[in-house]
Coordinates of all heavy atoms in Angstrom, one line a residue:
G939 N -44.5 -5.2 -40.5 CA -43.5 -6.0 -41.1 C -42.1 -5.6 -40.6 O -41.1 -6.4 -40.9
G940 N -42.0 -4.5 -40.0 CA -40.7 -4.0 -39.5 C -40.3 -4.6 -38.2 O -40.9 -5.5 -37.7
S941 N -39.1 -4.1 -37.7 CA -38.6 -4.6 -36.5 C -38.2 -3.5 -35.5 O -37.9 -2.4 -35.9 CB -37.3 -5.4 -36.8 OG -37.5 -6.5 -37.6
L942 N -38.2 -3.8 -34.3 CA -37.8 -2.9 -33.2 C -37.1 -3.8 -32.1 O -37.4 -5.0 -32.0 CB -38.9 -2.2 -32.5 CG -39.5 -1.0 -33.2 CD1 -40.7 -0.5 -32.4 CD2 -38.5 0.1 -33.4
R943 N -36.2 -3.2 -31.4 CA -35.5 -3.9 -30.3 C -35.7 -3.0 -29.1 O -35.2 -1.9 -29.0 CB -34.0 -4.0 -30.6 CG -33.2 -4.7 -29.5 CD -31.8 -4.9 -30.0 NE -30.8 -5.2 -29.0 CZ -30.5 -6.4 -28.6 NH1 -31.2 -7.5 -29.1 NH2 -29.6 -6.7 -27.6
L944 N -36.3 -3.6 -28.1 CA -36.5 -2.9 -26.8 C -35.4 -3.3 -25.9 O -34.9 -4.5 -25.9 CB -37.8 -3.3 -26.2 CG -39.1 -3.0 -27.1 CD1 -40.3 -3.3 -26.3 CD2 -39.1 -1.6 -27.5
S945 N -34.9 -2.4 -25.1 CA -33.9 -2.7 -24.1 C -34.4 -2.2 -22.7 O -35.2 -1.3 -22.6 CB -32.6 -1.9 -24.4 OG -32.1 -2.3 -25.6
C946 N -34.0 -2.9 -21.7 CA -34.3 -2.6 -20.3 C -33.1 -2.7 -19.5 O -32.5 -3.8 -19.3 CB -35.5 -3.5 -19.8 SG -35.9 -3.2 -18.1
A947 N -32.7 -1.6 -18.9 CA -31.5 -1.6 -18.0 C -32.0 -1.7 -16.6 O -32.8 -1.0 -16.1 CB -30.7 -0.3 -18.2
A948 N -31.4 -2.7 -15.9 CA -31.7 -2.9 -14.5 C -30.6 -2.5 -13.6 O -29.4 -2.7 -13.9 CB -32.0 -4.4 -14.2
S949 N -30.9 -1.9 -12.4 CA -29.9 -1.5 -11.5 C -30.5 -1.7 -10.1 O -31.7 -1.9 -9.9 CB -29.5 0.0 -11.7 OG -30.6 0.8 -11.5
G950 N -29.6 -1.7 -9.1 CA -30.0 -1.9 -7.7 C -29.7 -3.4 -7.3 O -28.6 -3.9 -7.6
S951 N -30.7 -4.0 -6.7 CA -30.5 -5.4 -6.2 C -30.6 -6.4 -7.3 O -31.5 -7.3 -7.1 CB -31.4 -5.6 -5.0 OG -31.2 -4.7 -4.0
I952 N -29.8 -6.3 -8.3 CA -30.0 -7.3 -9.5 C -29.6 -8.7 -9.1 O -30.1 -9.6 -9.8 CB -29.2 -6.8 -10.7 CG1 -27.8 -6.7 -10.4 CG2 -29.8 -5.5 -11.2 CD1 -26.9 -6.4 -11.6
F953 N -28.9 -8.9 -8.0 CA -28.5 -10.2 -7.6 C -29.7 -11.0 -7.2 O -29.7 -12.2 -7.2 CB -27.5 -10.1 -6.5 CG -28.1 -9.5 -5.2 CD1 -28.8 -10.2 -4.3 CD2 -28.0 -8.1 -5.1 CE1 -29.3 -9.6 -3.2 CE2 -28.5 -7.5 -4.0 CZ -29.2 -8.2 -3.0
S954 N -30.8 -10.3 -6.8 CA -32.0 -11.0 -6.3 C -33.0 -11.3 -7.4 O -34.1 -11.9 -7.1 CB -32.7 -10.1 -5.3 OG -33.2 -8.9 -5.9
I955 N -32.7 -11.0 -8.7 CA -33.6 -11.2 -9.8 C -33.7 -12.7 -10.1 O -32.7 -13.4 -10.3 CB -33.2 -10.4 -11.0 CG1 -33.3 -8.9 -10.8 CG2 -34.0 -10.9 -12.2 CD1 -32.7 -8.1 -11.9
N956 N -35.0 -13.2 -10.3 CA -35.3 -14.5 -10.7 C -35.8 -14.6 -12.1 O -35.4 -15.5 -12.8 CB -36.3 -15.1 -9.7 CG -35.8 -15.2 -8.3 OD1 -34.7 -15.7 -8.1 ND2 -36.6 -14.8 -7.4
V957 N -36.6 -13.7 -12.5 CA -37.2 -13.7 -13.8 C -37.2 -12.3 -14.4 O -37.5 -11.3 -13.6 CB -38.7 -14.2 -13.8 CG1 -39.3 -14.2 -15.2 CG2 -38.8 -15.5 -13.1
M958 N -36.9 -12.1 -15.6 CA -36.9 -10.9 -16.3 C -37.9 -11.0 -17.5 O -37.9 -12.1 -18.2 CB -35.6 -10.4 -16.8 CG -34.5 -10.4 -15.7 SD -32.9 -9.8 -16.3 CE -33.1 -8.0 -16.2
G959 N -38.7 -10.0 -17.8 CA -39.6 -10.2 -18.8 C -40.2 -8.9 -19.4 O -39.9 -7.8 -18.9
W960 N -41.1 -9.1 -20.3 CA -41.8 -7.9 -21.0 C -43.3 -8.2 -21.0 O -43.7 -9.3 -21.3 CB -41.3 -7.8 -22.4 CG -39.9 -7.3 -22.5 CD1 -38.8 -8.1 -22.6 CD2 -39.4 -5.9 -22.5 NE1 -37.7 -7.3 -22.7 CE2 -38.0 -6.0 -22.6 CE3 -40.1 -4.7 -22.4 CZ2 -37.2 -4.8 -22.7 CZ3 -39.3 -3.6 -22.5 CH2 -37.9 -3.6 -22.6
H961 N -44.0 -7.2 -20.6 CA -45.5 -7.2 -20.7 C -45.9 -6.1 -21.7 O -45.1 -5.2 -21.9 CB -46.1 -7.0 -19.4 CG -46.0 -8.2 -18.4 ND1 -44.8 -8.6 -17.9 CD2 -46.9 -9.0 -17.9 CE1 -45.0 -9.7 -17.1 NE2 -46.3 -9.9 -17.1
R962 N -47.1 -6.1 -22.1 CA -47.6 -5.0 -22.9 C -49.1 -4.7 -22.6 O -49.8 -5.6 -22.1 CB -47.4 -5.3 -24.4 CG -48.3 -6.4 -24.9 CD -48.0 -6.7 -26.4 NE -48.8 -7.7 -27.0 CZ -48.6 -8.3 -28.2 NH1 -47.5 -7.8 -28.9 NH2 -49.3 -9.2 -28.6

């Protein structure tokens, strides 16, 4: 019932990114 916030910091060739996502 609680909450969490996940963060992901990206570095490097970020200009080339098309899709960002989360898997588990």
Side-chain angles (χ1 to χ4, degrees):
S941 299
L942 279 176
R943 179 178 167 88
L944 304 183
S945 299
C946 174
S949 60
S951 302
I952 59 174
F953 61 89
S954 68
I955 292 174
N956 297 311
V957 183
M958 306 181 83
W960 292 92
H961 288 66
R962 67 186 181 189

